[in-house]
Amino acid sequence: MNKNIAYVRIGNIYTYLLLLFVIFFAGLRVPGVDHDYNTYISWLSGDKKNFIAYVLQGKDIGFLSLYKLVTFFSNNLALFFIIIAAISVIAKYTFCKLAFDNKFVGILVLLVFSRLYLTQEFTQVRVAIAMGIASCAVLYWYNNKRKISFALMLTGLTFHLSVIIIPLFFLIYNYCSFLKRRYVLFFIPLVAYFLSPLCIEAMHLIGSSRIEVYINGSYHTTKLSVFSAYYLIRLFLFYFILFFVFNKTNEKEKIYIYFLACSLFLQVVFSWNDVFSLRFTEVLALFDLSALILPLKYLSKQFRLGYFVFIVLVSFLFFYSSLKIVLPYNNYILMMIK
């Protein structure tokens, strides 16, 4: 027993050191490594003079307020981005622990950070925090911690409004019992192909200035292929899970399958606009990546090892595909040494 406790402690120390590394690795990056860093610096510089004006414009008040709080102690931007990375990484790690009650944490962490680390902790930092916190809120709801869940959901929304789809889809799922049936889930990704043309007009009707810039050409957008590796792998595994795993899952695990169906739906229905398609897909990513773990839990022993190897390979594929969004790495420590 003592040996087991020692191994657990060593494993925990290793995990915490690894989390610290990825936090500082992202937080200390210099401008130019990712696409959004300089934009954030410009925005935050304006925030110093126009904080109230930014809030009244509907800017993400949680992100701006956190920056305002940090500036009371230091004007070091690296410190701010380290804090941002820390909140985001800790939120995602917490989700991975809650998803299967401290089981399969290692493989889920590998999937999550392979898929999301460069696109979020390195680039879309507001979404990174928002979706991590809001996703944890759903799991706390299932753990009967409703007040914590509600507080976390509101906090997530203050960092980025796109996470509104998490409580929205969650409410729909809870009030529409037919969505818990396998044959209904089967058709959710498929109907997206027919609804995609109608979606463009629907987005115009919303009339939000934050949405309109991505539709009227002010911000460059492109059409996405629905035959990307990320989509096809998840689509294949979604139907594999429906046919071979679904009936064995518990109530909390079924929500992962439902959100995977929604993620596949959103990726196709917004395929005419890469900003919307990728953003909404990534907001639900913690859930759909958790769904990919389900066969590892419920397949017979003779297939688990093979599936484990497959998931590891998929994680490397996800990471490799996200490398294209960043430039060669450089950080403040290396700059000081030079």
PDB file of all heavy atoms in Angstrom, residues 206-237:
ATOM      1  N   ILE A 206     -29.840  37.793 -36.976  1.00  0.00           N
ATOM      2  CA  ILE A 206     -29.449  38.078 -35.592  1.00  0.00           C
ATOM      3  C   ILE A 206     -29.071  39.554 -35.448  1.00  0.00           C
ATOM      4  O   ILE A 206     -29.403  40.208 -34.454  1.00  0.00           O
ATOM      5  CB  ILE A 206     -28.283  37.165 -35.158  1.00  0.00           C
ATOM      6  CG1 ILE A 206     -28.766  35.709 -35.124  1.00  0.00           C
ATOM      7  CG2 ILE A 206     -27.736  37.579 -33.798  1.00  0.00           C
ATOM      8  CD1 ILE A 206     -27.677  34.702 -34.826  1.00  0.00           C
ATOM      9  N   GLY A 207     -28.335  40.069 -36.453  1.00  0.00           N
ATOM     10  CA  GLY A 207     -28.067  41.501 -36.494  1.00  0.00           C
ATOM     11  C   GLY A 207     -27.027  42.015 -35.531  1.00  0.00           C
ATOM     12  O   GLY A 207     -26.896  43.226 -35.337  1.00  0.00           O
ATOM     13  N   SER A 208     -26.258  41.166 -34.905  1.00  0.00           N
ATOM     14  CA  SER A 208     -25.229  41.603 -33.962  1.00  0.00           C
ATOM     15  C   SER A 208     -24.010  42.122 -34.718  1.00  0.00           C
ATOM     16  O   SER A 208     -23.560  41.513 -35.691  1.00  0.00           O
ATOM     17  CB  SER A 208     -24.830  40.439 -33.054  1.00  0.00           C
ATOM     18  OG  SER A 208     -23.655  40.750 -32.328  1.00  0.00           O
ATOM     19  N   SER A 209     -23.448  43.233 -34.260  1.00  0.00           N
ATOM     20  CA  SER A 209     -22.266  43.805 -34.916  1.00  0.00           C
ATOM     21  C   SER A 209     -21.075  42.871 -34.786  1.00  0.00           C
ATOM     22  O   SER A 209     -20.210  42.825 -35.671  1.00  0.00           O
ATOM     23  CB  SER A 209     -21.935  45.168 -34.303  1.00  0.00           C
ATOM     24  OG  SER A 209     -21.687  45.056 -32.911  1.00  0.00           O
ATOM     25  N   ARG A 210     -20.999  42.113 -33.687  1.00  0.00           N
ATOM     26  CA  ARG A 210     -19.882  41.192 -33.479  1.00  0.00           C
ATOM     27  C   ARG A 210     -19.955  40.007 -34.435  1.00  0.00           C
ATOM     28  O   ARG A 210     -18.958  39.383 -34.745  1.00  0.00           O
ATOM     29  CB  ARG A 210     -19.855  40.699 -32.023  1.00  0.00           C
ATOM     30  CG  ARG A 210     -19.544  41.782 -31.024  1.00  0.00           C
ATOM     31  CD  ARG A 210     -19.389  41.259 -29.623  1.00  0.00           C
ATOM     32  NE  ARG A 210     -18.228  40.387 -29.493  1.00  0.00           N
ATOM     33  CZ  ARG A 210     -17.800  39.890 -28.335  1.00  0.00           C
ATOM     34  NH1 ARG A 210     -18.437  40.184 -27.210  1.00  0.00           N
ATOM     35  NH2 ARG A 210     -16.747  39.105 -28.284  1.00  0.00           N
ATOM     36  N   ILE A 211     -21.165  39.683 -34.891  1.00  0.00           N
ATOM     37  CA  ILE A 211     -21.351  38.592 -35.845  1.00  0.00           C
ATOM     38  C   ILE A 211     -21.235  39.101 -37.278  1.00  0.00           C
ATOM     39  O   ILE A 211     -20.646  38.451 -38.141  1.00  0.00           O
ATOM     40  CB  ILE A 211     -22.726  37.921 -35.623  1.00  0.00           C
ATOM     41  CG1 ILE A 211     -22.732  37.172 -34.287  1.00  0.00           C
ATOM     42  CG2 ILE A 211     -23.071  36.975 -36.767  1.00  0.00           C
ATOM     43  CD1 ILE A 211     -24.063  36.568 -33.935  1.00  0.00           C
ATOM     44  N   GLU A 212     -21.770  40.297 -37.527  1.00  0.00           N
ATOM     45  CA  GLU A 212     -21.858  40.821 -38.889  1.00  0.00           C
ATOM     46  C   GLU A 212     -20.490  40.985 -39.547  1.00  0.00           C
ATOM     47  O   GLU A 212     -20.353  40.803 -40.764  1.00  0.00           O
ATOM     48  CB  GLU A 212     -22.599  42.166 -38.868  1.00  0.00           C
ATOM     49  CG  GLU A 212     -23.117  42.600 -40.226  1.00  0.00           C
ATOM     50  CD  GLU A 212     -24.173  41.658 -40.786  1.00  0.00           C
ATOM     51  OE1 GLU A 212     -24.917  41.034 -39.999  1.00  0.00           O
ATOM     52  OE2 GLU A 212     -24.247  41.541 -42.033  1.00  0.00           O
ATOM     53  N   VAL A 213     -19.461  41.327 -38.764  1.00  0.00           N
ATOM     54  CA  VAL A 213     -18.122  41.535 -39.355  1.00  0.00           C
ATOM     55  C   VAL A 213     -17.571  40.257 -39.977  1.00  0.00           C
ATOM     56  O   VAL A 213     -16.729  40.310 -40.880  1.00  0.00           O
ATOM     57  CB  VAL A 213     -17.124  42.068 -38.305  1.00  0.00           C
ATOM     58  CG1 VAL A 213     -17.536  43.443 -37.838  1.00  0.00           C
ATOM     59  CG2 VAL A 213     -16.985  41.105 -37.125  1.00  0.00           C
ATOM     60  N   TYR A 214     -18.046  39.104 -39.508  1.00  0.00           N
ATOM     61  CA  TYR A 214     -17.589  37.827 -40.055  1.00  0.00           C
ATOM     62  C   TYR A 214     -18.427  37.379 -41.252  1.00  0.00           C
ATOM     63  O   TYR A 214     -18.138  36.344 -41.854  1.00  0.00           O
ATOM     64  CB  TYR A 214     -17.626  36.744 -38.975  1.00  0.00           C
ATOM     65  CG  TYR A 214     -16.731  37.037 -37.790  1.00  0.00           C
ATOM     66  CD1 TYR A 214     -17.272  37.299 -36.534  1.00  0.00           C
ATOM     67  CD2 TYR A 214     -15.349  37.050 -37.921  1.00  0.00           C
ATOM     68  CE1 TYR A 214     -16.462  37.571 -35.448  1.00  0.00           C
ATOM     69  CE2 TYR A 214     -14.526  37.324 -36.837  1.00  0.00           C
ATOM     70  CZ  TYR A 214     -15.095  37.578 -35.615  1.00  0.00           C
ATOM     71  OH  TYR A 214     -14.283  37.859 -34.533  1.00  0.00           O
ATOM     72  N   ILE A 215     -19.463  38.165 -41.582  1.00  0.00           N
ATOM     73  CA  ILE A 215     -20.347  37.797 -42.682  1.00  0.00           C
ATOM     74  C   ILE A 215     -20.232  38.773 -43.849  1.00  0.00           C
ATOM     75  O   ILE A 215     -20.302  38.372 -45.019  1.00  0.00           O
ATOM     76  CB  ILE A 215     -21.818  37.742 -42.201  1.00  0.00           C
ATOM     77  CG1 ILE A 215     -21.968  36.737 -41.056  1.00  0.00           C
ATOM     78  CG2 ILE A 215     -22.754  37.366 -43.341  1.00  0.00           C
ATOM     79  CD1 ILE A 215     -23.352  36.702 -40.448  1.00  0.00           C
ATOM     80  N   ASN A 216     -20.052  40.066 -43.537  1.00  0.00           N
ATOM     81  CA  ASN A 216     -20.091  41.093 -44.586  1.00  0.00           C
ATOM     82  C   ASN A 216     -18.761  41.333 -45.281  1.00  0.00           C
ATOM     83  O   ASN A 216     -18.653  42.236 -46.106  1.00  0.00           O
ATOM     84  CB  ASN A 216     -20.634  42.414 -44.014  1.00  0.00           C
ATOM     85  CG  ASN A 216     -19.738  42.966 -42.899  1.00  0.00           C
ATOM     86  OD1 ASN A 216     -18.577  42.582 -42.754  1.00  0.00           O
ATOM     87  ND2 ASN A 216     -20.291  43.872 -42.106  1.00  0.00           N
ATOM     88  N   GLY A 217     -17.728  40.567 -44.934  1.00  0.00           N
ATOM     89  CA  GLY A 217     -16.445  40.714 -45.608  1.00  0.00           C
ATOM     90  C   GLY A 217     -15.443  41.584 -44.887  1.00  0.00           C
ATOM     91  O   GLY A 217     -14.287  41.700 -45.317  1.00  0.00           O
ATOM     92  N   SER A 218     -15.853  42.220 -43.765  1.00  0.00           N
ATOM     93  CA  SER A 218     -14.915  43.047 -43.004  1.00  0.00           C
ATOM     94  C   SER A 218     -13.762  42.214 -42.461  1.00  0.00           C
ATOM     95  O   SER A 218     -12.636  42.687 -42.331  1.00  0.00           O
ATOM     96  CB  SER A 218     -15.646  43.745 -41.849  1.00  0.00           C
ATOM     97  OG  SER A 218     -16.682  44.565 -42.335  1.00  0.00           O
ATOM     98  N   TYR A 219     -14.070  40.969 -42.118  1.00  0.00           N
ATOM     99  CA  TYR A 219     -13.059  40.036 -41.606  1.00  0.00           C
ATOM    100  C   TYR A 219     -12.965  38.879 -42.598  1.00  0.00           C
ATOM    101  O   TYR A 219     -13.983  38.294 -42.969  1.00  0.00           O
ATOM    102  CB  TYR A 219     -13.473  39.540 -40.222  1.00  0.00           C
ATOM    103  CG  TYR A 219     -12.433  38.695 -39.517  1.00  0.00           C
ATOM    104  CD1 TYR A 219     -11.566  39.262 -38.603  1.00  0.00           C
ATOM    105  CD2 TYR A 219     -12.334  37.318 -39.764  1.00  0.00           C
ATOM    106  CE1 TYR A 219     -10.618  38.490 -37.942  1.00  0.00           C
ATOM    107  CE2 TYR A 219     -11.386  36.544 -39.121  1.00  0.00           C
ATOM    108  CZ  TYR A 219     -10.538  37.131 -38.210  1.00  0.00           C
ATOM    109  OH  TYR A 219      -9.594  36.369 -37.567  1.00  0.00           O
ATOM    110  N   HIS A 220     -11.744  38.574 -43.020  1.00  0.00           N
ATOM    111  CA  HIS A 220     -11.574  37.533 -44.049  1.00  0.00           C
ATOM    112  C   HIS A 220     -11.966  36.160 -43.505  1.00  0.00           C
ATOM    113  O   HIS A 220     -11.460  35.716 -42.474  1.00  0.00           O
ATOM    114  CB  HIS A 220     -10.120  37.498 -44.512  1.00  0.00           C
ATOM    115  CG  HIS A 220      -9.853  36.396 -45.500  1.00  0.00           C
ATOM    116  ND1 HIS A 220     -10.368  36.411 -46.788  1.00  0.00           N
ATOM    117  CD2 HIS A 220      -9.143  35.235 -45.382  1.00  0.00           C
ATOM    118  CE1 HIS A 220      -9.986  35.317 -47.417  1.00  0.00           C
ATOM    119  NE2 HIS A 220      -9.238  34.588 -46.598  1.00  0.00           N
ATOM    120  N   THR A 221     -12.866  35.501 -44.204  1.00  0.00           N
ATOM    121  CA  THR A 221     -13.268  34.146 -43.836  1.00  0.00           C
ATOM    122  C   THR A 221     -13.195  33.254 -45.069  1.00  0.00           C
ATOM    123  O   THR A 221     -13.214  33.735 -46.205  1.00  0.00           O
ATOM    124  CB  THR A 221     -14.704  34.110 -43.281  1.00  0.00           C
ATOM    125  OG1 THR A 221     -15.612  34.572 -44.292  1.00  0.00           O
ATOM    126  CG2 THR A 221     -14.833  34.975 -42.047  1.00  0.00           C
ATOM    127  N   THR A 222     -13.125  31.965 -44.837  1.00  0.00           N
ATOM    128  CA  THR A 222     -13.086  31.001 -45.939  1.00  0.00           C
ATOM    129  C   THR A 222     -14.050  29.858 -45.662  1.00  0.00           C
ATOM    130  O   THR A 222     -14.504  29.665 -44.530  1.00  0.00           O
ATOM    131  CB  THR A 222     -11.672  30.417 -46.129  1.00  0.00           C
ATOM    132  OG1 THR A 222     -11.272  29.757 -44.911  1.00  0.00           O
ATOM    133  CG2 THR A 222     -10.670  31.495 -46.466  1.00  0.00           C
ATOM    134  N   LYS A 223     -14.335  29.110 -46.709  1.00  0.00           N
ATOM    135  CA  LYS A 223     -15.181  27.926 -46.581  1.00  0.00           C
ATOM    136  C   LYS A 223     -14.322  26.750 -46.147  1.00  0.00           C
ATOM    137  O   LYS A 223     -13.187  26.599 -46.575  1.00  0.00           O
ATOM    138  CB  LYS A 223     -15.856  27.622 -47.918  1.00  0.00           C
ATOM    139  CG  LYS A 223     -16.867  26.501 -47.864  1.00  0.00           C
ATOM    140  CD  LYS A 223     -17.560  26.320 -49.215  1.00  0.00           C
ATOM    141  CE  LYS A 223     -18.584  25.194 -49.158  1.00  0.00           C
ATOM    142  NZ  LYS A 223     -19.281  25.028 -50.456  1.00  0.00           N
ATOM    143  N   LEU A 224     -14.863  25.932 -45.263  1.00  0.00           N
ATOM    144  CA  LEU A 224     -14.132  24.774 -44.761  1.00  0.00           C
ATOM    145  C   LEU A 224     -14.606  23.492 -45.433  1.00  0.00           C
ATOM    146  O   LEU A 224     -15.801  23.321 -45.683  1.00  0.00           O
ATOM    147  CB  LEU A 224     -14.325  24.627 -43.248  1.00  0.00           C
ATOM    148  CG  LEU A 224     -13.536  25.557 -42.328  1.00  0.00           C
ATOM    149  CD1 LEU A 224     -13.862  25.212 -40.888  1.00  0.00           C
ATOM    150  CD2 LEU A 224     -12.045  25.437 -42.560  1.00  0.00           C
ATOM    151  N   SER A 225     -13.666  22.603 -45.682  1.00  0.00           N
ATOM    152  CA  SER A 225     -14.030  21.286 -46.195  1.00  0.00           C
ATOM    153  C   SER A 225     -14.542  20.426 -45.046  1.00  0.00           C
ATOM    154  O   SER A 225     -13.945  20.388 -43.967  1.00  0.00           O
ATOM    155  CB  SER A 225     -12.803  20.612 -46.833  1.00  0.00           C
ATOM    156  OG  SER A 225     -13.099  19.251 -47.125  1.00  0.00           O
ATOM    157  N   VAL A 226     -15.648  19.747 -45.279  1.00  0.00           N
ATOM    158  CA  VAL A 226     -16.191  18.856 -44.245  1.00  0.00           C
ATOM    159  C   VAL A 226     -15.479  17.514 -44.252  1.00  0.00           C
ATOM    160  O   VAL A 226     -15.805  16.625 -43.453  1.00  0.00           O
ATOM    161  CB  VAL A 226     -17.702  18.642 -44.425  1.00  0.00           C
ATOM    162  CG1 VAL A 226     -18.446  19.953 -44.242  1.00  0.00           C
ATOM    163  CG2 VAL A 226     -18.003  18.031 -45.781  1.00  0.00           C
ATOM    164  N   PHE A 227     -14.508  17.374 -45.144  1.00  0.00           N
ATOM    165  CA  PHE A 227     -13.787  16.108 -45.226  1.00  0.00           C
ATOM    166  C   PHE A 227     -12.401  16.205 -44.572  1.00  0.00           C
ATOM    167  O   PHE A 227     -11.480  15.494 -44.938  1.00  0.00           O
ATOM    168  CB  PHE A 227     -13.647  15.675 -46.687  1.00  0.00           C
ATOM    169  CG  PHE A 227     -14.969  15.423 -47.357  1.00  0.00           C
ATOM    170  CD1 PHE A 227     -15.456  16.305 -48.306  1.00  0.00           C
ATOM    171  CD2 PHE A 227     -15.735  14.322 -47.013  1.00  0.00           C
ATOM    172  CE1 PHE A 227     -16.682  16.086 -48.922  1.00  0.00           C
ATOM    173  CE2 PHE A 227     -16.958  14.097 -47.613  1.00  0.00           C
ATOM    174  CZ  PHE A 227     -17.437  14.971 -48.572  1.00  0.00           C
ATOM    175  N   SER A 228     -12.272  17.098 -43.605  1.00  0.00           N
ATOM    176  CA  SER A 228     -11.023  17.198 -42.863  1.00  0.00           C
ATOM    177  C   SER A 228     -10.851  15.973 -41.979  1.00  0.00           C
ATOM    178  O   SER A 228     -11.830  15.303 -41.598  1.00  0.00           O
ATOM    179  CB  SER A 228     -11.019  18.456 -41.994  1.00  0.00           C
ATOM    180  OG  SER A 228     -11.994  18.344 -40.974  1.00  0.00           O
ATOM    181  N   ALA A 229      -9.607  15.679 -41.637  1.00  0.00           N
ATOM    182  CA  ALA A 229      -9.320  14.510 -40.787  1.00  0.00           C
ATOM    183  C   ALA A 229     -10.014  14.641 -39.438  1.00  0.00           C
ATOM    184  O   ALA A 229     -10.553  13.662 -38.897  1.00  0.00           O
ATOM    185  CB  ALA A 229      -7.810  14.364 -40.609  1.00  0.00           C
ATOM    186  N   TYR A 230     -10.018  15.854 -38.884  1.00  0.00           N
ATOM    187  CA  TYR A 230     -10.632  16.072 -37.574  1.00  0.00           C
ATOM    188  C   TYR A 230     -12.122  15.729 -37.598  1.00  0.00           C
ATOM    189  O   TYR A 230     -12.644  15.088 -36.682  1.00  0.00           O
ATOM    190  CB  TYR A 230     -10.428  17.530 -37.148  1.00  0.00           C
ATOM    191  CG  TYR A 230     -11.000  17.869 -35.798  1.00  0.00           C
ATOM    192  CD1 TYR A 230     -10.606  17.181 -34.652  1.00  0.00           C
ATOM    193  CD2 TYR A 230     -11.930  18.893 -35.652  1.00  0.00           C
ATOM    194  CE1 TYR A 230     -11.135  17.489 -33.407  1.00  0.00           C
ATOM    195  CE2 TYR A 230     -12.460  19.217 -34.408  1.00  0.00           C
ATOM    196  CZ  TYR A 230     -12.063  18.510 -33.294  1.00  0.00           C
ATOM    197  OH  TYR A 230     -12.585  18.815 -32.067  1.00  0.00           O
ATOM    198  N   TYR A 231     -12.799  16.150 -38.662  1.00  0.00           N
ATOM    199  CA  TYR A 231     -14.232  15.859 -38.774  1.00  0.00           C
ATOM    200  C   TYR A 231     -14.483  14.373 -39.028  1.00  0.00           C
ATOM    201  O   TYR A 231     -15.325  13.756 -38.361  1.00  0.00           O
ATOM    202  CB  TYR A 231     -14.843  16.689 -39.896  1.00  0.00           C
ATOM    203  CG  TYR A 231     -16.302  16.380 -40.132  1.00  0.00           C
ATOM    204  CD1 TYR A 231     -17.291  16.905 -39.309  1.00  0.00           C
ATOM    205  CD2 TYR A 231     -16.694  15.532 -41.176  1.00  0.00           C
ATOM    206  CE1 TYR A 231     -18.623  16.608 -39.519  1.00  0.00           C
ATOM    207  CE2 TYR A 231     -18.029  15.240 -41.394  1.00  0.00           C
ATOM    208  CZ  TYR A 231     -18.989  15.775 -40.562  1.00  0.00           C
ATOM    209  OH  TYR A 231     -20.310  15.462 -40.759  1.00  0.00           O
ATOM    210  N   LEU A 232     -13.780  13.792 -39.967  1.00  0.00           N
ATOM    211  CA  LEU A 232     -14.039  12.403 -40.363  1.00  0.00           C
ATOM    212  C   LEU A 232     -13.740  11.413 -39.243  1.00  0.00           C
ATOM    213  O   LEU A 232     -14.477  10.443 -39.048  1.00  0.00           O
ATOM    214  CB  LEU A 232     -13.230  12.057 -41.614  1.00  0.00           C
ATOM    215  CG  LEU A 232     -13.642  12.787 -42.897  1.00  0.00           C
ATOM    216  CD1 LEU A 232     -12.702  12.441 -44.035  1.00  0.00           C
ATOM    217  CD2 LEU A 232     -15.084  12.439 -43.271  1.00  0.00           C
ATOM    218  N   ILE A 233     -12.664  11.654 -38.496  1.00  0.00           N
ATOM    219  CA  ILE A 233     -12.328  10.765 -37.376  1.00  0.00           C
ATOM    220  C   ILE A 233     -13.431  10.817 -36.330  1.00  0.00           C
ATOM    221  O   ILE A 233     -13.899   9.778 -35.836  1.00  0.00           O
ATOM    222  CB  ILE A 233     -10.978  11.156 -36.759  1.00  0.00           C
ATOM    223  CG1 ILE A 233      -9.836  10.785 -37.710  1.00  0.00           C
ATOM    224  CG2 ILE A 233     -10.770  10.464 -35.402  1.00  0.00           C
ATOM    225  CD1 ILE A 233      -8.485  11.329 -37.287  1.00  0.00           C
ATOM    226  N   ARG A 234     -13.867  12.016 -35.996  1.00  0.00           N
ATOM    227  CA  ARG A 234     -14.917  12.159 -34.979  1.00  0.00           C
ATOM    228  C   ARG A 234     -16.242  11.603 -35.480  1.00  0.00           C
ATOM    229  O   ARG A 234     -17.007  11.009 -34.710  1.00  0.00           O
ATOM    230  CB  ARG A 234     -15.055  13.623 -34.570  1.00  0.00           C
ATOM    231  CG  ARG A 234     -13.891  14.084 -33.721  1.00  0.00           C
ATOM    232  CD  ARG A 234     -13.644  15.588 -33.743  1.00  0.00           C
ATOM    233  NE  ARG A 234     -14.807  16.372 -33.431  1.00  0.00           N
ATOM    234  CZ  ARG A 234     -15.419  17.183 -34.307  1.00  0.00           C
ATOM    235  NH1 ARG A 234     -14.977  17.270 -35.561  1.00  0.00           N
ATOM    236  NH2 ARG A 234     -16.454  17.891 -33.936  1.00  0.00           N
ATOM    237  N   LEU A 235     -16.544  11.794 -36.764  1.00  0.00           N
ATOM    238  CA  LEU A 235     -17.789  11.261 -37.320  1.00  0.00           C
ATOM    239  C   LEU A 235     -17.797   9.737 -37.260  1.00  0.00           C
ATOM    240  O   LEU A 235     -18.795   9.123 -36.846  1.00  0.00           O
ATOM    241  CB  LEU A 235     -17.959  11.723 -38.765  1.00  0.00           C
ATOM    242  CG  LEU A 235     -19.261  11.306 -39.456  1.00  0.00           C
ATOM    243  CD1 LEU A 235     -20.454  12.020 -38.833  1.00  0.00           C
ATOM    244  CD2 LEU A 235     -19.192  11.590 -40.952  1.00  0.00           C
ATOM    245  N   PHE A 236     -16.694   9.121 -37.661  1.00  0.00           N
ATOM    246  CA  PHE A 236     -16.595   7.663 -37.627  1.00  0.00           C
ATOM    247  C   PHE A 236     -16.748   7.141 -36.195  1.00  0.00           C
ATOM    248  O   PHE A 236     -17.516   6.196 -35.937  1.00  0.00           O
ATOM    249  CB  PHE A 236     -15.251   7.216 -38.205  1.00  0.00           C
ATOM    250  CG  PHE A 236     -14.937   5.768 -37.950  1.00  0.00           C
ATOM    251  CD1 PHE A 236     -15.544   4.766 -38.684  1.00  0.00           C
ATOM    252  CD2 PHE A 236     -14.034   5.410 -36.948  1.00  0.00           C
ATOM    253  CE1 PHE A 236     -15.272   3.423 -38.429  1.00  0.00           C
ATOM    254  CE2 PHE A 236     -13.756   4.079 -36.691  1.00  0.00           C
ATOM    255  CZ  PHE A 236     -14.375   3.090 -37.426  1.00  0.00           C
ATOM    256  N   LEU A 237     -16.037   7.785 -35.256  1.00  0.00           N
ATOM    257  CA  LEU A 237     -16.101   7.326 -33.867  1.00  0.00           C
ATOM    258  C   LEU A 237     -17.468   7.593 -33.249  1.00  0.00           C
ATOM    259  O   LEU A 237     -17.926   6.834 -32.388  1.00  0.00           O
ATOM    260  CB  LEU A 237     -15.003   7.999 -33.042  1.00  0.00           C
ATOM    261  CG  LEU A 237     -13.576   7.543 -33.375  1.00  0.00           C
ATOM    262  CD1 LEU A 237     -12.552   8.329 -32.567  1.00  0.00           C
ATOM    263  CD2 LEU A 237     -13.415   6.043 -33.099  1.00  0.00           C
TER     264      LEU A 237
END
